[in-house]
Amino acid sequence: MNWIKKTLRFGEKIKKIIKTRATKTDIDNSDWTSCCKGPILKKDLEENLWVCPSCNKHHRISPRLRFDIIFGKNNYEVLKTPIPKDDPLNWNDSKPYKDRLKAARKKTNMDCGMMVINTNIKNIKLTAIASDFDFIGGSIGAAEGEAFLYGIQHAIENQQPFVLTSCGGGMRMMESLISLCQMTRTTLAINELKKNNLPYIVVLTDPTAGGITASYAMLGDVHMAEPGALIAFAGARVIQGTVREELPEGFQRSEYVEKTGFVDLIVERKDLKEKIFTLLSILLKKNSAINSLENETSEDNRTLTKAAS
Ligand SMILES: [Zn+2]
């Protein structure tokens, strides 16, 4: 009878192993990840710019990978942005905010969730910025606000366009009002950029939500989105609970928000570089035409004033 017990126990063990799901760390450390058809080698995804060859899902990528894809490896300089004091509210929920920051920095190898670079596409110099979803969900706190402002200031000082790749769940609740203030600060900074007639292009990626959608990610001259990206303010479940209606298929996805006018065009990851270049070429020409028109007008005004006196 002992062998029966042994077999049963072995069976239980096998069942447990099969049922145990891989943790996020297991997946991070593995050569495999999963998509529509089950497991897929990360190497195969990487060769296709982290886009699934079967279902065209645009997987989330880090700022560095994104910059490598759009601007080319070693074709950009990462700018060091100011880091304000950590955890000013001494926040503690299920774990201290200080510990969350420490873990996020270790995981992403970044000081804050935003990366700012000085780069170019062909002959157009520009400042670009991208967020890392792995840094506390790409949320925005004081440090990210500072990074954004630093990026805008850099674009204005160098009189070059500004390109944002948005990603994140919204404002960082662990910084309460301080994080909400970043909505106003980033909006005011964009106004300064516009006063300088410098183009601001936004690329919305999965997910762009909450205060990010409600501020700097929706203030571009042109809004592009990667296919299938979640672009929202409040979550679908909250909306469904409020309106008590079945939400349409594809609600809050790029294709849906393009139809409703939130997004100008949907661009595949492989085409982003060309598309950004074309748009910047057009906008820069248009803006320089506006500048020269303003100069002509002020010249005319000066002549008129002189004549009048
Ligand atoms: Zn897939």
Side-chain angles (χ1 to χ4, degrees), residues 148-204:
F148 193 93
L149 262 62
Y150 189 91
I152 296 267
Q153 204 173 345
H154 181 268
I156 293 173
E157 274 169 11
N158 293 284
Q159 288 294 296
Q160 56 193 34
F162 188 71
V163 176
L164 160 80
T165 310
S166 71
C167 175
M171 297 298 124
R172 191 173 298 160
M173 63 170 220
M174 299 85 165
E175 292 192 23
S176 188
L177 264 184
I178 298 167
S179 71
L180 291 179
C181 290
Q182 308 313 318
M183 293 171 73
T184 323
R185 294 181 82 213
T186 51
T187 304
L188 291 172
I190 293 163
N191 287 349
E192 291 305 310
L193 190 77
K194 294 193 175 177
K195 273 185 207 163
N196 278 270
N197 279 331
L198 295 168
Y200 174 33
I201 291 189
V202 177
V203 180
L204 300 148

Side-chain angles (χ1 to χ4, degrees), residues 9 185 192 197 238 269 292 298:
R9 231 180 287 147
R185 294 181 82 213
E192 291 305 310
N197 279 331
V238 177
R269 192 167 286 166
S292 59
S298 54

Side-chain angles (χ1 to χ4, degrees), residues 74-85:
N74 307 323
N75 186 39
Y76 57 88
E77 174 202 357
V78 178
L79 304 175
K80 197 159 173 49
T81 60
I83 301 291
K85 185 180 180 291

Side-chain angles (χ1 to χ4, degrees), residues 119-133:
T119 184
N120 62 66
I121 293 187
K122 299 178 190 175
N123 55 340
I124 301 178
K125 287 182 181 165
L126 60 98
T127 309
I129 207 162
S131 289
D132 197 329
F133 192 79

Side-chain angles (χ1 to χ4, degrees), residues 57-92:
K57 178 179 170 173
H58 282 52
H59 286 252
R60 281 176 202 157
I61 50 173
S62 69
R64 271 194 191 276
L65 275 176
R66 187 160 295 282
F67 294 149
D68 287 353
I69 292 170
I70 302 178
F71 307 111
K73 254 186 191 171
N74 307 323
N75 186 39
Y76 57 88
E77 174 202 357
V78 178
L79 304 175
K80 197 159 173 49
T81 60
I83 301 291
K85 185 180 180 291
D86 281 349
D87 192 18
L89 304 176
N90 208 10
W91 182 274
N92 198 353

Side-chain angles (χ1 to χ4, degrees), residues 170-280:
M171 297 298 124
R172 191 173 298 160
M173 63 170 220
M174 299 85 165
E175 292 192 23
S176 188
L177 264 184
I178 298 167
S179 71
L180 291 179
C181 290
Q182 308 313 318
M183 293 171 73
T184 323
R185 294 181 82 213
T186 51
T187 304
L188 291 172
I190 293 163
N191 287 349
E192 291 305 310
L193 190 77
K194 294 193 175 177
K195 273 185 207 163
N196 278 270
N197 279 331
L198 295 168
Y200 174 33
I201 291 189
V202 177
V203 180
L204 300 148
T205 74
D206 184 62
T208 297
I212 298 174
T213 319
S215 61
Y216 64 86
M218 280 292 151
L219 298 170
D221 297 314
V222 179
H223 295 105
M224 297 185 224
E226 283 192 335
L230 175 82
I231 300 161
F233 178 59
R237 250 181 303 168
V238 177
I239 297 174
Q240 190 150 10
T242 313
V243 298
R244 293 175 195 282
E245 271 177 35
E246 199 63 38
L247 297 172
E249 211 188 308
F251 185 66
Q252 294 182 327
R253 294 284 160 185
S254 307
E255 296 71 14
Y256 182 87
V257 292
E258 187 203 20
K259 272 188 213 144
T260 51
F262 245 38
V263 160
D264 299 304
L265 62 164
I266 295 173
V267 183
E268 303 246 340
R269 192 167 286 166
K270 63 178 169 47
D271 301 325
L272 277 173
K273 180 182 178 171
E274 271 313 308
K275 207 55 104 181
I276 294 173
F277 175 72
T278 311
L279 281 168
L280 285 180

Side-chain angles (χ1 to χ4, degrees), residues 96-127:
Y97 176 37
K98 277 193 187 80
D99 290 355
R100 288 185 194 275
L101 276 174
K102 212 191 231 174
R105 282 178 180 145
K106 196 175 165 202
K107 189 174 181 185
T108 60
N109 206 14
M110 283 165 62
D111 291 331
C112 76
M114 243 182 208
M115 191 177 272
V116 188
I117 60 160
N118 183 30
T119 184
N120 62 66
I121 293 187
K122 299 178 190 175
N123 55 340
I124 301 178
K125 287 182 181 165
L126 60 98
T127 309

